Amino acid sequence: MNFAARALALCGLAARSLGWRPQEFWSATPAELAASLGLLAPETPGMNRDALHTLMERDHG
């Protein structure tokens, strides 16, 4: 599949999934499209309550 065919498929996916019009698709950056489609995962998970509590206990003894 060439670039044009892939771009057209992504444009259709953005239209169906996100409600984007072609102008919105073509003005978006690749990172914006990936984030909007949920394709970007956080690099590191956030801190949970237990980890925060452990750090607080270490700091305040």
Side-chain angles (χ1 to χ4, degrees):
M1 184 180 283
N2 63 25
F3 174 80
R6 289 176 194 255
L8 185 58
L10 282 172
C11 187
L13 178 62
R16 285 190 307 273
S17 300
L18 305 171
W20 286 10
R21 295 176 296 241
Q23 177 61 30
E24 293 165 322
F25 172 80
W26 290 110
S27 65
T29 65
E32 290 169 332
L33 178 61
S36 296
L37 292 172
L39 301 176
L40 298 179
E43 292 181 18
T44 57
M47 183 179 298
N48 64 26
R49 185 177 303 273
D50 292 332
L52 177 60
H53 184 69
T54 299
L55 288 173
M56 290 171 61
E57 284 181 349
R58 280 188 208 161
D59 189 45
H60 295 291

